Amino acid sequence: VSTQSTGNENGVIDDTAQDDDDNIDDDNDGFEADLNNDAIDPDILATIAALGSFEGSNYVKGEECAICVTDLIKFLRLEDKKTCDIRIQLALSRVMEKDLLPILTTYFDEHDIIDPLIRLIVNLTMPVLLCFEKEETTKIDKLRTKLHLEVNGYLRSYKHQFVVFNVMKIFSTQLGHLLKLGRTNRNDEDDLMLERILIIIRNILHVPADSYEDLQLQHSLSVHDKLVLSLIEYGVADLLLYLCGNKEEEQHCLLALEIISLIFRDFDAKTLALQNTNYDQSKVDKELQEIKQREALQKQKNVRTKNTRHSRFGGTFVVCGKKSITEKDLIYHKNIKKIKDLSFDDEKTIQRHSRHNAIAEDQSEYRSSTVETRQKLKGLAQKFLDVCYNLLMKKAKSLLCRGQTSSDTDESFYIWACTFFMEFNRCSGFKLELVAETLSIDTFSYVLQIIFKMHENLKGFSAKMVDQMLECNKRLHKAVKAYREMLENLSLMLSSSDSKIRSIASVIQNNIFYQQEYRELPTLLLKQFHKRFCTKTYLVDLIECTHIYIKMLEVFTKDNTLIVQETKKKAKKKSVKKKKKNLLSEREMKEMWEGDIEKEVLNVLSSAKISTMNVRPFDASSDYSLEQQRITCKHKIQDLLKSGSFDEAVAMYKAAQEVWPNSPSFGMPDMAIIDEVNVMKSIFMSNEDIPDFVSNDINEERNQQEDPRTSEITASEIHSVKEQKFENTNYLMLYARPGIVQSYCYLLQFFETNSFLTNHATVKMLYRLATKLAMTPLMYQISFFITLRKILAAPKVDSFKELKKFAAYIVRKFTVSIKESPMMCVDTVFWKTTDDVVMIDHGYDGDKLPNNKQSVQWTAQEEEEIKTLYDKWIDKARAIDLCEMIAQDMTTSSDKSRMDVKKKIIELKLVTEGNADILKKKPKNKVEWLPDEREALRNLYEEFQYERDPVALIQEKLDTKSRKKIVKELETLLGVRKCDLSTSRSIWNKDDDEELRILYGHLSETHTGTSLLDHIQEKIPKPRTAKEIKDALIRLKLQRDESSSSHFWTKGELAVITKYEKLLSKKETVLNIRRDLPHIDNSCVIQQLVHMGQLTTMEGAQLLMELSDIDSDAESEEEEEEEEEYDFFDIPKHLRKLEHCQEAIKWLAGICQNILSNREDLLDYDTVFIIPTQDEHGDALGDATFQDLLKCLGAVPPLSSCENYWKITSDVSDNLLSKGLGLLTG
């Protein structure tokens, strides 16, 4: 009898031979089990024996089979998590093969046995990492490693038995029955059974394959292949697709996605997509032709280097040119064919390397398998794309973003699915509609977030945590592959013949080019690359991804100007936080008050000279609330009293009484003096902790009042975001770093095994650095020269042509450079920075460096003059720029700069550490505009305002003013906007302005808004755009600029203010002005009155608060009246038009009823969003009539692109909702 399983041409197993093999294996394994019985607990053996036995070819269960299965589950709960002893004993007894799987296949209809049996199988098939207790240690435990390998071996045997017993056929029946019930008809037990079956399938597919088995079965069926084929044959794969595409089964979508990923784990997407295509056959032919070419060249090379001596020649050799310990040539007594084989290290002890410094090895390799397997998997992948890819990825991403996942690795399966199926779709014809869900800006952003998260996690591990770093880099590698594949698809979309696809790709491309995070991502990851925890395949994908991105960037910037977002760091000055002073005791505070403070406060309060003009207890533009500013004012008064500033303290107290007239902290405005003294005493005696916002505000004021030379300054980095023009050269400079160049040179060492694309991407980047940036010396390094020597000695095949050309270019450059500077040989030991490159190119001595300035020479006479001038100006050093003044007064030399003088003063030790700040450069005073200059500016603008560039003409007349100052003064003086001064604006002359004024006067009485602009655009003589007309109306003060918060007052509007300036009540003044000028709000009126001196800042702030309360009450009354009137007349009309939307009207009535009940019971007046729960509701929300009905009920539409739903805010009255509810239900 043959002991090997036979198969036909298609890879189908011969059942007869398999049965014979199983019988022989059963006999042998039974003998082994008897040998291992001594290692198994007797209770476990008794429990297993009671499960049942075979009677012939049929399995018969025992009477207590269900109880015994439950007992085995209890045994597993009590096992030692460090050794997994119970699990190993059950595996030695072969209970899975002899009892559990036979029971599952024979009695799958008996639920009292199947339920605990499924639970037991779930436990036994758990992955190894979940079986053992997790240990946070970096040491290698040999016993733990041995147990891991042992349990892994048992899991492989379980996987084989699942194939033998056709368990997937049973699972297909069970899954079909459970899914047929539907989500609503299944109970909790059915849901648990469904989930457990999926977990068993996941566990079995997760079992790693044996590397030796994969090596032997590279082009034939492995156990994993057989299991996958059984999944497809018995319909489990189709049920998984149904589960992924069903909206009701959302809770199982991540588990189904994990199973799908494990099915395709060992296969390459490109290989499956190109199965049975002309490209696949041509690729195989091309590879064979290249192998033949290499072999032929290698044979020719061997013939040329073949030694004429006999192969058994064992004589003595003399090595010419290599001296021994004497002056003669070295004598070598061993057989040697090449000089490079000469070595003296044969008998030396090999140095052991640390495990932590070992190079990370690639573990993921794709298998070829059989043609039948690849064909079936190709069909399954295509069906997955057609049926459920977009829906599943949308649900999975939603769960991941909400954090509703059971494992941290779920996002890895999402990333894998993006990579695999997008590559499969790209290689099989690219249909955008099949992968539209993952080809969007949101997905790009989500993948970018995952990459940054993994990058930060890698930085958090210590150097000894190699295993954790490898695992984290594995996830990072998946994210980088997904990002690379998305760029590949984006590049394919840009070259599409469909204009719609190109427009979609253009939006995504502009986004990833504009944001700085995408541009700096490759350099960020390349700088972090390390051979110890980053694999070579990771570096390959990262470099190819960088190549695709830069290539797209170069193509785009070749014909377009790219404006990008740039985030820069700049220094912000802030005061060092002072240590918190200890609070005084109550006794000490009382002594201070009774000493001098009480008498001084009483004297100030008794005097009539209390001015509140220069104090500011309240700031309307502050971010702090009114209550926070009241507390801050109280502490300010206390500080002023302690420092002895009694006049300022009393003035602050009086101003606070006006702002907070009813506050008990400051008393009433008309109090007696003795009562005010008591209130001031209570403020002084309050011994409370100072809140953070109070200390920050007080410190800011102190820093503004202190001399900037005496305050301690530190620099903190803040981010400044701005837009600027993109420059390719500046971007490539980010890659001119030794760590990045070293990574590229390291990958080029494997040029013989690299793909053509990998070698091309590597050489292309190095060539950019060498030519576009002239940074060839970055690659002058010994290890890279060794790689170049191998490239030049490689066979002359087409795939190495580009590499040989680049290697010859670098060698020629190096030969020329080393002739000019022989010392550069020493530099080849190190990797070089850009500064080193400049030094190599311009000489090591520094004389040829660009902008190199020779050191300044000083004579003894000049040094004496420095000392004399220093003594002359030292008394005025605080008021003048000392170094600048000395440099100007020097008579012996006129070529000394301010910095030269400063260095010489420090060198002569004329200043000490205490007064070194006198050498700092003093800021220049700002030049103010004189009244005559302002009048001239006004006249010049009226003269040149209709020219193309009025600012340039004004600048010619005003020689002393810069363009920036003129523009700023025109904005503040005349209210001219920057867009009206731009050279690219549309030109209007005086006649055009006059015609526009006439048209506006005629049409503004009957038209408003966009209708007014449209009519003016039709009747104006010269063709103008709507934006040009609107800008001209704003310039002529005919309309207000809604984008500007300030208001520019015309002469007529200023006359209205002058008309009411004699009124005694300022509130009446503002109300009268608002009545005559309704288009101007309260804040603008009060601001102008303060500017004209009719109101103080404090009076303006108090008046603004009073008027804002009046306006809010008036607006709420008007809104209620308008709502009720709109409700009665419009809602019935809309309801008659919506007779076909009765379900949506009932749903809306229910929402109104819930809002009213919540307000009555819980006093809940929060905003309520109107979220559709059915398709009919969503269709109704898209109807214009239904939207009008919502507006009648006070609902607010989505205000921006960030909002998706209508909402009912807390401003909608109960009266309106109750009346609307009556109409909806009536």
Side-chain angles (χ1 to χ4, degrees):
V1 180
S2 176
T3 59
Q4 294 182 355
S5 61
T6 60
N8 55 23
E9 295 178 354
N10 295 327
V12 179
I13 300 174
D14 190 350
D15 296 337
T16 307
Q18 184 67 38
D19 292 338
D20 294 338
D21 293 344
D22 293 341
N23 293 332
I24 295 173
D25 291 342
D26 289 342
D27 295 339
N28 295 334
D29 293 341
F31 177 71
E32 293 176 3
D34 293 337
L35 293 177
N36 292 325
N37 281 343
D38 296 337
I40 304 175
D41 189 89
D43 293 337
I44 296 178
L45 284 175
T47 305
I48 294 174
L51 288 172
S53 61
F54 277 97
E55 293 184 0
S57 60
N58 298 325
Y59 188 88
V60 180
K61 66 174 183 177
E63 295 181 357
E64 298 180 350
C65 180
I67 299 175
C68 292
V69 172
T70 307
D71 290 340
L72 290 178
I73 296 174
K74 293 179 181 178
F75 280 127
L76 286 171
R77 289 177 183 170
L78 300 175
E79 74 173 348
D80 186 2
K81 292 296 182 181
K82 294 183 179 180
T83 59
C84 291
D85 50 348
I86 306 298
R87 193 176 304 273
I88 294 176
Q89 293 180 40
L90 291 176
L92 289 173
S93 66
R94 298 180 63 190
V95 65
M96 180 71 74
E97 175 188 353
K98 291 186 175 182
D99 296 291
L100 300 184
L101 293 183
I103 292 174
L104 179 64
T105 56
T106 307
Y107 301 98
F108 63 88
D109 291 334
E110 299 184 13
H111 296 287
D112 57 336
I113 298 177
I114 293 299
D115 287 346
L117 182 63
I118 292 293
R119 289 167 52 200
L120 178 60
I121 296 175
V122 168
N123 200 331
L124 288 175
T125 57
M126 279 197 309
V128 179
L129 293 178
L130 299 180
C131 297
F132 288 87
E133 185 181 19
K134 187 176 181 181
E135 294 184 0
E136 298 293 339
T137 178
T138 58
K139 296 182 179 179
I140 301 177
D141 189 349
K142 294 184 179 180
L143 177 61
R144 184 181 177 88
T145 305
K146 178 185 175 182
L147 293 175
H148 273 239
L149 295 174
E150 187 176 356
V151 174
N152 249 334
Y154 296 140
L155 288 176
R156 292 192 190 98
S157 66
Y158 293 164
K159 189 173 185 178
H160 175 69
Q161 295 303 323
F162 266 72
V163 176
V164 172
F165 283 92
N166 289 332
V167 178
M168 294 304 157
K169 184 177 181 180
I170 307 300
F171 285 166
S172 176
T173 306
Q174 293 289 335
L175 286 174
H177 172 70
L178 293 172
L179 292 175
K180 191 175 180 180
L181 292 175
R183 180 68 183 87
T184 56
N185 297 327
R186 289 200 305 265
N187 53 30
D188 294 340
E189 295 180 358
D190 293 336
D191 284 332
L192 286 174
M193 177 61 69
L194 176 62
E195 185 176 1
R196 286 168 181 162
I197 292 175
L198 293 176
I199 291 175
I200 292 175
I201 298 174
R202 188 272 313 272
N203 291 346
I204 292 299
L205 288 171
H206 189 273
V207 175
D210 190 358
S211 58
Y212 178 76
E213 178 192 11
D214 285 347
L215 185 63
Q216 298 295 322
L217 303 174
Q218 182 65 24
H219 296 281
S220 58
L221 285 174
S222 65
V223 176
H224 186 79
D225 296 341
K226 296 174 185 177
L227 187 63
V228 170
L229 288 176
S230 65
L231 284 170
I232 299 174
E233 180 183 355
Y234 295 119
V236 177
D238 293 333
L239 293 174
L240 287 173
L241 297 185
Y242 170 78
L243 194 66
C244 295
N246 194 344
K247 295 182 180 180
E248 297 180 355
E249 305 293 346
E250 183 177 348
Q251 70 274 19
H252 302 303
C253 70
L254 289 176
L255 186 56
L257 180 62
E258 184 176 355
I259 294 173
I260 293 292
S261 69
L262 293 173
I263 289 175
F264 294 97
R265 178 183 60 188
D266 298 336
F267 300 93
D268 182 25
K270 186 175 181 180
T271 305
L272 292 180
L274 300 176
Q275 179 68 27
N276 294 339
T277 60
N278 295 331
Y279 177 83
D280 186 28
Q281 188 62 35
S282 63
K283 180 183 177 183
V284 174
D285 296 341
K286 185 178 179 180
E287 290 178 354
L288 289 175
Q289 189 68 25
E290 187 173 344
I291 292 173
K292 284 183 179 180
Q293 188 179 2
R294 289 189 185 185
E295 287 181 353
L297 292 172
Q298 188 65 34
K299 285 182 180 179
Q300 294 177 7
K301 185 177 180 181
N302 293 337
V303 169
R304 287 194 297 266
T305 59
K306 189 175 182 180
N307 199 338
T308 57
R309 290 174 176 171
H310 196 274
S311 60
R312 290 175 302 202
F313 177 78
T316 302
F317 296 87
V318 177
V319 184
C320 297
K322 193 175 185 68
K323 301 297 182 182
S324 63
I325 58 177
T326 64
E327 293 299 325
K328 298 181 180 181
D329 291 337
L330 177 68
I331 299 176
Y332 198 72
H333 297 278
K334 292 183 180 181
N335 190 12
I336 185 172
K337 294 182 179 180
K338 297 179 181 179
I339 190 64
K340 68 178 183 180
D341 295 335
L342 177 65
S343 175
F344 301 100
D345 300 334
D346 296 338
E347 298 180 0
K348 292 181 180 179
T349 304
I350 299 176
Q351 184 179 1
R352 297 184 62 184
H353 297 281
S354 173
R355 171 179 171 267
H356 300 299
N357 295 327
I359 298 176
E361 297 180 357
D362 295 319
Q363 298 179 352
S364 59
E365 293 184 358
Y366 298 121
R367 294 183 63 255
S368 298
S369 191
T370 61
V371 176
E372 180 195 15
T373 306
R374 295 200 299 268
Q375 287 178 350
K376 290 188 176 182
L377 285 175
K378 179 181 179 181
L380 179 62
Q382 189 62 49
K383 190 184 296 185
F384 180 79
L385 279 173
D386 295 336
V387 174
C388 57
Y389 175 79
N390 286 325
L391 181 61
L392 176 63
M393 300 304 284
K394 183 178 181 180
K395 292 191 296 184
K397 183 181 176 183
S398 176
L399 291 174
L400 290 171
C401 292
R402 296 200 303 263
Q404 298 178 359
T405 58
S406 58
S407 175
D408 295 336
T409 60
D410 287 335
E411 66 182 13
S412 298
F413 297 112
Y414 174 85
I415 292 298
W416 173 90
C418 287
T419 308
F420 184 89
F421 290 105
M422 288 176 70
E423 183 179 4
F424 181 87
N425 179 61
R426 175 173 58 84
C427 297
S428 59
F430 187 71
K431 296 180 180 178
L432 178 60
E433 62 273 10
L434 297 182
V435 292
E437 176 60 33
T438 50
L439 264 180
S440 61
I441 296 176
D442 292 340
T443 310
F444 268 93
S445 177
Y446 181 68
V447 173
L448 186 70
Q449 290 176 12
I450 295 176
I451 292 176
F452 281 134
K453 184 175 73 173
M454 293 297 107
H455 169 73
E456 292 298 325
N457 291 345
L458 271 176
K459 291 165 59 178
F461 293 118
S462 63
K464 294 184 178 180
M465 302 173 70
V466 180
D467 295 336
Q468 291 86 341
M469 296 173 79
L470 286 171
E471 185 64 28
C472 186
N473 180 260
K474 187 177 179 181
R475 297 184 186 178
L476 177 61
H477 186 193
K478 290 182 180 180
V480 170
K481 286 181 68 177
Y483 183 63
R484 173 186 177 276
E485 187 56 41
M486 293 167 74
L487 289 178
E488 288 268 20
N489 281 262
L490 182 61
S491 178
L492 195 61
M493 291 169 63
L494 290 170
S495 60
S496 174
S497 58
D498 191 347
S499 59
K500 293 183 180 179
I501 295 178
R502 290 199 306 271
S503 62
I504 295 172
S506 176
V507 173
I508 300 175
Q509 178 183 244
N510 291 336
N511 190 274
I512 64 174
F513 287 167
Y514 175 75
Q515 295 188 22
Q516 187 177 6
E517 290 80 2
Y518 291 99
R519 297 195 307 277
E520 295 185 354
L521 177 64
T523 56
L524 183 70
L525 298 179
L526 285 169
K527 285 191 297 183
Q528 194 190 37
F529 174 79
H530 198 286
K531 295 181 288 185
R532 192 160 51 90
F533 55 85
C534 298
T535 61
K536 185 175 78 71
T537 54
Y538 164 73
L539 182 61
V540 168
D541 288 319
L542 180 56
I543 287 179
E544 290 181 0
C545 173
T546 306
H547 173 71
I548 297 169
Y549 185 84
I550 294 179
K551 186 177 179 181
M552 292 170 57
L553 200 57
E554 288 177 344
V555 171
F556 182 82
T557 54
K558 187 176 181 181
D559 301 324
N560 303 280
T561 301
L562 179 61
I563 302 299
V564 297
Q565 185 186 63
E566 189 72 21
T567 304
K568 290 190 176 181
K569 294 179 180 179
K570 62 180 182 179
K572 177 186 176 182
K573 294 183 178 180
K574 67 176 184 180
S575 299
V576 177
K577 291 186 178 180
K578 298 182 179 180
K579 295 183 179 179
K580 187 175 179 180
K581 296 181 180 180
N582 297 327
L583 297 176
L584 299 176
S585 63
E586 186 177 354
R587 179 180 177 183
E588 292 173 340
M589 299 280 285
K590 188 175 182 180
E591 290 177 355
M592 290 178 62
W593 175 259
E594 293 177 351
D596 298 327
I597 297 177
E598 184 178 13
K599 185 185 299 182
E600 295 292 338
V601 169
L602 184 59
N603 293 335
V604 175
L605 287 172
S606 302
S607 65
K609 299 179 181 180
I610 302 176
S611 175
T612 61
M613 294 295 294
N614 297 325
V615 294
R616 190 166 53 97
F618 173 77
D619 186 3
S621 62
S622 175
D623 294 334
Y624 297 123
S625 64
L626 194 64
E627 179 63 21
Q628 288 176 329
Q629 293 195 53
R630 184 189 64 79
I631 298 173
T632 304
C633 178
K634 184 177 176 182
H635 284 280
K636 286 180 181 178
I637 295 173
Q638 188 182 47
D639 284 351
L640 291 171
L641 290 174
K642 289 179 180 179
S643 62
S645 303
F646 303 111
D647 293 338
E648 296 181 17
V650 174
M652 181 74 72
Y653 168 72
K654 288 290 188 181
Q657 279 186 337
E658 298 177 4
V659 177
W660 294 280
N662 299 323
S663 174
S665 301
F666 306 109
M668 302 297 293
D670 299 330
M671 293 173 60
I673 294 179
I674 189 61
D675 294 333
E676 290 182 338
V677 172
N678 292 332
V679 173
M680 294 280 285
K681 179 181 179 181
S682 65
I683 294 174
F684 178 79
M685 296 293 293
S686 62
N687 202 0
E688 303 173 355
D689 292 336
I690 303 177
D692 292 337
F693 64 88
V694 175
S695 60
N696 293 338
D697 193 36
I698 294 175
N699 287 335
E700 287 179 5
E701 287 197 0
R702 286 177 179 174
N703 293 335
Q704 292 175 1
Q705 296 173 0
E706 287 178 355
D707 189 346
R709 294 170 295 185
T710 60
S711 60
E712 299 179 19
I713 302 296
T714 60
S716 66
E717 291 184 346
I718 62 172
H719 295 283
S720 173
V721 180
K722 65 176 184 179
E723 292 183 345
Q724 65 180 20
K725 185 180 178 181
F726 177 79
E727 295 291 343
N728 269 320
T729 306
N730 296 338
Y731 180 67
L732 287 177
M733 282 297 296
L734 298 176
Y735 295 89
R737 299 179 181 179
I740 296 178
V741 175
Q742 186 177 358
S743 300
Y744 275 87
C745 295
Y746 167 73
L747 183 59
L748 204 59
Q749 294 177 8
F750 308 96
F751 70 95
E752 295 178 342
T753 57
N754 290 342
S755 65
F756 177 79
L757 176 60
T758 303
N759 286 334
H760 172 70
T762 307
V763 172
K764 185 67 176 177
M765 174 56 74
L766 296 177
Y767 185 73
R768 289 189 186 103
L769 299 179
T771 56
K772 293 186 178 181
L773 299 183
M775 293 285 181
T776 310
L778 285 173
M779 288 154 268
Y780 293 169
Q781 214 274 341
I782 293 177
S783 62
F784 186 58
F785 285 151
I786 294 174
T787 304
L788 296 181
R789 186 181 66 180
K790 292 179 181 179
I791 292 174
L792 293 173
K796 295 181 179 180
V797 295
D798 294 339
S799 57
F800 294 160
K801 186 181 296 184
E802 186 180 21
L803 298 179
K804 287 179 174 293
K805 186 177 179 181
F806 173 74
Y809 173 80
I810 297 296
V811 172
R812 283 197 303 269
K813 285 285 187 180
F814 178 73
T815 306
V816 173
S817 300
I818 202 169
K819 289 180 180 179
E820 298 177 356
S821 179
M823 290 296 295
M824 195 171 55
C825 292
V826 181
D827 252 333
T828 56
V829 181
F830 310 101
W831 294 100
K832 286 159 278 296
T833 63
T834 53
D835 295 338
D836 299 332
V837 171
V838 174
M839 186 178 295
I840 290 172
D841 289 340
H842 298 86
Y844 288 92
D845 51 1
D847 294 336
K848 299 180 182 179
L849 289 176
N851 299 328
N852 184 49
K853 187 175 180 180
Q854 300 293 334
S855 58
V856 181
Q857 301 297 328
W858 291 82
T859 61
Q861 184 181 359
E862 290 172 347
E863 291 181 358
E864 290 297 328
E865 187 178 10
I866 285 283
K867 294 179 182 179
T868 304
L869 293 174
Y870 179 82
D871 295 335
K872 175 182 177 182
W873 296 108
I874 184 62
D875 296 334
K876 301 179 180 180
R878 298 292 180 183
I880 63 173
D881 191 338
L882 180 62
C883 298
E884 185 70 27
M885 190 63 66
I886 293 175
Q888 293 177 2
D889 289 358
M890 286 189 66
T891 58
T892 57
S893 177
S894 59
D895 60 344
K896 303 296 189 294
S897 66
R898 181 190 180 280
M899 186 57 65
D900 297 335
V901 173
K902 180 179 178 180
K903 290 179 180 179
K904 197 61 184 177
I905 291 175
I906 297 174
E907 183 182 342
L908 295 174
K909 297 182 180 181
L910 299 178
V911 294
T912 60
E913 295 183 359
N915 64 345
D917 57 336
I918 63 175
L919 300 180
K920 292 182 180 180
K921 192 173 183 179
K922 303 299 186 295
K924 295 181 179 179
N925 295 327
K926 295 182 179 180
V927 180
E928 298 292 339
W929 286 73
L930 300 176
D932 295 341
E933 292 176 337
R934 286 193 175 126
E935 187 63 28
L937 178 64
R938 186 191 299 271
N939 297 332
L940 289 172
Y941 177 71
E942 292 177 358
E943 180 182 353
F944 299 124
Q945 62 176 326
Y946 297 107
E947 301 295 335
R948 168 60 67 182
D949 192 357
V951 179
L953 298 174
I954 295 174
Q955 192 176 7
E956 291 179 2
K957 302 294 183 179
L958 302 175
D959 298 334
T960 58
K961 302 298 181 182
S962 65
R963 183 183 182 92
K964 185 177 179 181
K965 291 181 179 180
I966 292 172
V967 172
K968 187 174 181 180
E969 188 64 23
L970 286 173
E971 288 179 351
T972 56
L973 180 64
L974 302 178
V976 182
R977 300 180 305 163
K978 286 186 178 181
C979 61
D980 295 332
L981 301 173
S982 174
T983 56
S984 60
R985 75 190 192 285
S986 60
I987 302 300
W988 296 70
N989 53 36
K990 294 182 179 180
D991 297 335
D992 295 337
D993 287 348
E994 189 62 29
E995 291 174 355
L996 182 61
R997 284 192 180 94
I998 296 172
L999 283 175
Y1000 181 80
H1002 290 307
L1003 297 176
S1004 60
E1005 298 177 358
T1006 57
H1007 301 86
T1008 58
T1010 56
S1011 176
L1012 175 61
L1013 294 177
D1014 293 340
H1015 282 77
I1016 293 176
Q1017 192 174 6
E1018 292 177 0
K1019 297 186 178 182
I1020 199 166
K1022 295 182 180 180
R1024 304 281 186 179
T1025 64
K1027 185 179 183 304
E1028 293 174 350
I1029 296 173
K1030 187 173 182 180
D1031 290 341
L1033 291 174
I1034 295 172
R1035 177 172 54 82
L1036 297 174
K1037 303 295 188 295
L1038 297 176
Q1039 283 189 354
R1040 184 183 177 187
D1041 187 3
E1042 297 177 356
S1043 62
S1044 176
S1045 58
S1046 60
H1047 177 75
F1048 303 108
W1049 293 81
T1050 62
K1051 294 182 180 180
E1053 292 170 346
L1054 292 174
V1056 174
I1057 293 182
T1058 309
K1059 175 182 175 182
Y1060 297 108
E1061 65 180 355
K1062 295 182 180 180
L1063 294 178
L1064 297 178
S1065 174
K1066 299 303 179 183
K1067 184 186 295 184
E1068 294 180 3
T1069 302
V1070 175
L1071 292 176
N1072 288 325
I1073 295 172
R1074 283 293 313 280
R1075 184 188 61 200
D1076 293 348
L1077 304 174
H1079 61 282
I1080 305 176
D1081 56 10
N1082 290 333
S1083 60
C1084 293
V1085 174
I1086 294 176
Q1087 184 179 2
Q1088 183 64 21
L1089 290 174
V1090 172
H1091 181 69
M1092 295 172 65
Q1094 298 185 21
L1095 286 175
T1096 63
T1097 304
M1098 198 55 52
E1099 291 173 346
Q1102 186 175 359
L1103 185 58
L1104 181 61
M1105 289 189 292
E1106 295 178 4
L1107 293 175
S1108 61
D1109 295 337
I1110 296 174
D1111 289 346
S1112 60
D1113 295 339
E1115 288 176 1
S1116 60
E1117 292 176 1
E1118 292 177 0
E1119 288 176 359
E1120 289 182 0
E1121 293 176 0
E1122 292 177 359
E1123 287 173 353
E1124 292 179 0
E1125 184 179 358
Y1126 196 52
D1127 177 14
F1128 278 112
F1129 289 100
D1130 293 334
I1131 291 181
K1133 176 180 65 177
H1134 296 318
L1135 289 175
R1136 285 194 295 271
K1137 295 180 181 180
L1138 295 171
E1139 293 181 355
H1140 60 286
C1141 301
Q1142 294 300 323
E1143 290 294 332
I1145 293 174
K1146 291 181 181 179
W1147 165 65
L1148 183 59
I1151 292 175
C1152 295
Q1153 182 63 43
N1154 291 336
I1155 294 173
L1156 290 172
S1157 60
N1158 289 337
R1159 290 183 176 182
E1160 292 176 1
D1161 300 337
L1162 304 176
L1163 298 176
D1164 187 4
Y1165 280 76
D1166 291 338
T1167 299
V1168 177
F1169 287 91
I1170 303 175
I1171 302 175
T1173 56
Q1174 298 180 8
D1175 294 339
E1176 294 84 356
H1177 304 162
D1179 295 339
L1181 286 175
D1183 190 354
T1185 306
F1186 195 83
Q1187 292 177 0
D1188 293 338
L1189 176 62
L1190 290 174
K1191 292 178 182 178
C1192 293
L1193 292 172
V1196 180
L1199 298 180
S1200 64
S1201 59
C1202 300
E1203 295 184 0
N1204 297 322
Y1205 304 109
W1206 288 70
K1207 58 188 176 183
I1208 298 178
T1209 62
S1210 57
D1211 298 332
V1212 180
S1213 62
D1214 295 345
N1215 187 21
L1216 175 61
L1217 284 176
S1218 59
K1219 290 181 179 180
L1221 178 61
L1223 292 172
L1224 292 175
T1225 55

